[in-house]
Structures are given as structure tokens and as C-alpha cells.
């Protein structure tokens, strides 16, 4: 260890102002003391819109728990963009994310990623994870919301003969359904998994209806006795939350909550936007006039400021930026706040009058 440190010191002197890691990074892209990275090892097209990207992470990565997510960074037109993606691989396997192309970064990731590309990474996080003790489970997912649940199923079902999982997954068509064949094979192989697909187009355009219990009782009659894990679009999750509350099933099943939810987008208060204002990004020497419902993160990115970000939904705090002056409005609660020097979550706060940010 002492020898390695001495070698590093010599290397530092020889390579200053660059660090030895900068040069090692040119040879092996996974070696960097500053930024965790991963090399893409496999790319699988899952559906016309979705791609699974397998990667080998460098030093500093922690194995994920089934259901967790990680921040993934990619360089697009010279700017590093960060988004969060659930890890879809089973625990113990090389990590993978399954990205559905719906916007700027996801489309670039899903369509352009190649084997050998380098991804910037953050370690896995999140508490949408399996309960410690297996119990009857209901997985309720729609669209790309299947990804964290797929990691749970791949981890739990083949390893635990006592697993008892019902998956209800909704997709527009059979061809859009993520992991469709693998799920049916797993259900064939392991009695602990039952898969119920709901294809909206095959139901004559009728979406899985969670405004009442009828669909749920048809697909999983004992749903009240199961700990439920749900992930999908906002309206799907809002409907599930209301249903569980209304039916009095929002308590606990054993020592697990009756319903645990993972969201990919923040819950914003309806009509919360008020007066906007002129936002000044001081260090970047940029300013822009924005409406009261536009997150400061979007406002900055739209005018070319490199803004720190992660989940973009108020949970990871990667976007914290010091406020120099002005007031901001929390789009989740409507609360107007802001003291000089306060760290602002730019992804869920908008200008409430003129705002100066230290970035
Ligand atoms: C914890 C977490 C886990 C996530 N896991 C995944 C995953 O496994 N696979 C995946 O494809 N995406 C996942 N996402 C969403 C992902 O981080 C990006 O938001 C998504 O890829 C859109 O980014 P974009 O740059 O392409 O779109 P942008 O141009 O940034 O905007 C797209 C808009 O769509 C909203 N949005 C985000 N996700 C969805 C969605 N699934 N359906 C509809 N609208 C959405 C965003 O809030 C935003 O308003 C996850 C997000 C979080 C917070
Ligand atoms: S980006 Fe995660 S809290 Fe703002």
C-alpha cells in the first residue's frame, strides 16, 4: 500500500497538472477516482421503443438491491446529461438498465448506445425494494414501470421455492410488452410466479381500470392479502393509491406496507404555478424569463446552463443549487420560500418573481 502511494506521488509529480487517473482513464475508461463509470457490454432491443443496456461498472459501484435505481450520465453534443434508471437485472448479475425512448436523453440512450460505450454512473439507491421476508406479492405495473419489478422477479422467483408472486402488467400491445417471453417462460418454469398481461389494444382500447376493484378482482382475486408493489405512469399510480385507500387496503400486509409505489416523475400540485420571473444564472452569465410552472432545472438547461441533476423529481438532491436572491415556489406543495444561500432543488422549484442562482 505504501509502495502504491509512493508510486502515485511520483506519478502525480510527473503528470501535473493532470492526475495519474486522467491518464489511466485514457487507457482504461473504468479507472477514475473522480467519476464512477461503466462500459457497455451488451445492448438488447426489447421492443420498438425500449432497449436494455448491460454494463460492467468500475471500482466504487455497489451491488444493487432488486428494485433500486441509479443515475446514468451520457454525453450528448458535448454536455453530460443525467437521468435515473431502475436496474432491471437480477441481483448478482452485471447491472443493466432498460430505457424507453420518450424524450431527449432516453431516446439517445435507447437508440444510439453501442457495446464499448462508456456511461457515467452513480451508485444504486432507492427504497422500492423487496420485503425482507417473502410473502404473497402483487406486482402491478404498466409500460416501463415493469423495469424495477423485473429485477425483483428475476432475483426472487428462481431462488425461492416459497415465492408467491402475481404480476399484472399492462401494455398497449403484446409487441410493446417488456420482457414478455421471458416472463411467460419464468411462469412456466416456476410455480411461484403467475403472469397476467393486460393488452389495451386487445381489450378494444379499454385500459386496465383501477378506478374500481372489478379488473383487479378478476385478475387477482386475493389482491387484498398480498403486499403490492406498483410502478407505472402517474395516472396509473394515482388510481392505485386511491383504490387502496378507498378499499381500506392501505394498511399493512404482515410487516410490509399494503401498497409500495415507485414513481418516475414527480407529483406536482395541480395549477400550482403562479407568477414566474427573470432567472439569472450568475456564474454562467445567462438569464431567461420563465413562467411560474417551469422548474428552474428546465429553465437553466433550456438556455444552455450545465445544471446538476439526477432523479428530476425531488428525491435525490443532486440538483441542489445555492440561491443568491429571490423567492422560489415548490411545485409539489405550492409553498413559496427562499433565503439567501439556501440550497434549492431546482427540479421541483420554479421562480416566484426574479431569482438569482449561484451557478
Ligand atoms: C427512480 C426513477 C427510475 C426510473 N427508471 C426508469 C426506467 O427503468 N426506464 C425508463 O425508461 N425510465 C425510467 N425513469 C425515467 C427517466 O429517468 C427519464 O425521466 C425518462 O427516460 C425521460 O427522460 P428524457 O430525457 O428522455 O425526457 P425529458 O425530455 O427529460 O422529459 C420527458 C418527460 O416525461 C416524464 N417521464 C419520465 N418518465 C416517464 C415515463 N416512464 N412515462 C411517461 N413520462 C415520463 C418526465 O417527468 C418528463 O416530464 C426513471 C425515473 C426515476 C426518477
Ligand atoms: S434532481 Fe433529484 S432532487 Fe432534483
Amino acid at each position: 500500500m505504501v509502495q502504491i502511494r509512493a508510486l502515485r506521488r511520483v506519478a502525480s509529480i510527473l503528470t501535473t497538472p493532470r492526475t495519474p487517473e486522467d491518464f489511466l482513464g485514457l487507457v482504461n475508461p473504468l479507472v477514475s477516482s473522480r467519476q464512477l463509470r461503466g462500459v457497455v457490454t451488451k445492448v438488447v432491443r426489447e421492443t420498438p421503443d425500449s432497449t436494455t443496456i448491460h454494463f460492467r461498472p468500475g471500482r466504487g459501484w455497489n451491488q444493487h438491491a432488486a428494485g433500486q435505481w441509479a443515475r446514468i450520465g451520457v454525453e450528448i453534443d458535448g454536455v453530460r446529461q443525467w437521468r435515473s434508471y431502475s436496474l432491471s437485472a437480477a441481483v448478482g448479475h452485471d447491472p443493466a438498465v432498460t430505457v424507453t425512448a420518450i424524450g431527449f436523453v432516453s431516446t439517445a440512450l435507447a437508440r444510439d448506445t453501442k457495446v464499448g460505450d462508456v456511461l457515467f454512473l452513480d451508485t444504486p439507491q432507492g427504497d422500492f425494494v423487496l420485503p425482507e421476508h417473502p410473502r404473497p406479492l402483487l406486482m402491478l405495473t404498466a409500460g416501463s414501470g415493469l423495469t424495477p419489478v423485473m429485477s425483483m422477479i428475476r432475483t426472487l422467483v428462481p431462488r425461492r421455492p416459497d415465492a408467491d408472486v402475481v404480476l399484472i402488467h399492462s401494455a398497449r400491445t403484446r409487441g410493446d410488452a417488456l420482457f414478455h417471453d421471458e416472463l411467460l417462460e419464468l411462469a412456466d418454469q416456476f410455480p411461484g410466479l403467475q403472469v397476467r398481461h393486460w393488452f389495451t389494444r386487445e381489450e378494444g382500447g379499454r385500459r386496465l381500470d383501477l378506478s374500481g376493484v372489478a379488473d383487479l378482482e378478476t385478475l387477482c382475486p386475493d389482491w387484498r392479502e398480498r403486499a403490492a408493489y406498483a410502478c407505472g405512469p402517474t395516472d396509473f399510480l394515482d388510481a392505485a393509491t386511491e383504490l387502496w385507500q378507498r378499499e381500506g387496503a392501505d394498511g399493512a400486509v404482515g410487516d410490509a406496507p399494503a401498497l409500495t409505489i415507485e414513481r418516475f416523475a414527480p407529483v406536482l400540485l395541480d395549477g400550482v404555478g403562479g407568477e414566474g420571473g427573470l432567472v439569472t444564472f450568475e456564474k454562467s452569465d445567462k438569464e431567461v424569463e420563465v413562467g411560474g410552472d417551469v422548474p428552474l432545472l428546465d429553465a437553466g438547461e433550456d438556455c444552455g446552463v450545465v445544471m446538476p441533476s439526477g432523479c428530476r423529481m425531488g428525491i435525490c438532491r443532486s440538483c441542489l443549487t445555492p440561491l443568491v436572491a429571490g423567492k422560489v415556489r415548490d411545485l409539489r406543495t405550492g409553498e413559496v420560500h427562499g433565503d439567501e444561500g439556501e440550497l434549492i432543488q431546482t427540479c421541483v422549484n420554479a421562480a416566484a418573481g426574479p431569482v438569482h442562482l449561484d451557478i
Side-chain angles (χ1 to χ4, degrees):
M1 183 54 85
V2 174
Q3 271 175 338
I4 291 174
R5 267 201 223 114
L7 274 174
R8 275 181 187 271
R9 252 198 320 272
V10 172
S12 272
I13 293 163
L14 293 175
T15 58
T16 300
R18 288 194 167 224
T19 67
E21 280 80 9
D22 289 332
F23 286 90
L24 281 171
L26 296 176
V27 183
N28 179 353
L30 296 188
V31 179
S32 165
S33 59
R34 295 185 193 156
Q35 175 60 63
L36 182 57
R37 303 175 197 199
V39 166
V40 175
T41 50
K42 192 161 72 157
V43 175
V44 180
R45 303 277 166 231
E46 302 283 358
T47 70
D49 291 333
S50 303
T51 304
T52 295
I53 301 164
H54 298 255
F55 55 92
R56 181 162 43 86
R59 209 174 43 205
W61 176 264
N62 307 324
Q63 176 160 276
H64 69 284
Q68 284 191 312
W69 53 277
R71 289 199 321 140
I72 307 283
V74 275
E75 272 176 12
I76 305 176
D77 299 332
V79 179
R80 193 173 301 172
Q81 306 278 355
W82 289 93
R83 294 291 185 274
S84 308
Y85 292 97
S86 306
L87 294 151
S88 52
V91 170
H93 288 67
D94 263 2
V97 290
T98 302
V99 180
T100 299
I102 58 160
F104 176 52
V105 177
S106 56
T107 301
L109 269 170
R111 307 248 188 265
D112 303 338
T113 305
K114 301 178 298 301
V115 170
D117 283 355
V118 173
L119 301 173
F120 301 96
L121 304 172
D122 241 358
T123 49
Q125 53 185 301
D127 44 19
F128 185 72
V129 290
L130 284 171
E132 212 171 303
H133 306 292
R135 59 175 48 76
L137 299 173
L138 167 62
M139 308 301 198
L140 190 56
T141 61
S144 56
L146 179 55
T147 49
V149 163
M150 196 60 194
S151 175
M152 294 176 172
I153 289 175
R154 284 172 168 155
T155 303
L156 182 72
V157 169
R159 294 177 204 182
R160 296 291 303 234
D162 54 351
D164 175 4
V165 181
V166 174
L167 167 70
I168 300 177
H169 178 62
S170 166
R172 256 176 318 173
T173 65
R174 207 169 285 264
D176 290 322
L178 282 172
F179 316 120
H180 176 264
D181 295 352
E182 181 186 344
L183 281 167
L184 295 188
E185 278 161 28
L186 281 170
D188 259 1
Q189 209 180 337
F190 299 101
L193 175 66
Q194 301 172 59
V195 176
R196 316 255 189 268
H197 277 110
W198 178 283
F199 301 122
T200 307
R201 197 168 290 170
E202 291 178 20
E203 300 291 336
R206 192 169 83 77
R207 296 168 81 185
L208 180 63
D209 182 12
L210 295 177
S211 67
V213 291
D215 284 351
L216 206 48
E217 298 214 317
T218 308
L219 294 166
C220 179
D222 63 349
W223 66 277
R224 288 166 208 272
E225 277 90 65
R226 293 174 176 272
Y229 286 74
C231 185
T234 300
D235 52 352
F236 179 84
L237 296 179
D238 290 348
T241 308
E242 276 171 34
L243 180 67
W244 258 254
Q245 281 167 357
R246 208 176 40 243
E247 291 299 312
D250 62 335
V253 176
D255 58 355
L259 176 66
T260 307
I261 277 186
E262 179 79 326
R263 290 182 186 270
F264 289 176
V267 183
L268 303 180
L269 213 58
D270 264 352
V272 69
E275 176 204 5
L278 184 69
V279 183
T280 307
F281 301 90
E282 294 206 337
K283 287 190 179 131
S284 315
D285 198 19
K286 297 255 167 73
E287 56 181 28
V288 61
E289 186 74 41
V290 283
D293 57 353
V294 179
L296 293 165
L297 175 58
D298 293 358
E301 287 180 344
D302 287 351
C303 68
V305 179
V306 179
M307 303 284 291
S309 73
C311 66
R312 305 178 81 87
M313 56 177 290
I315 51 178
C316 75
R317 301 175 71 77
S318 305
C319 61
L320 290 178
T321 301
L323 183 70
V324 179
K327 295 280 178 205
V328 298
R329 182 177 293 102
D330 190 317
L331 295 169
R332 298 164 299 180
T333 60
E335 183 208 351
V336 173
H337 63 108
D339 294 320
E340 188 186 333
E342 186 180 330
L343 291 174
I344 301 295
Q345 280 176 291
T346 60
C347 66
V348 286
N349 280 284
V355 167
H356 288 249
L357 292 174
D358 187 21
I359 186 166

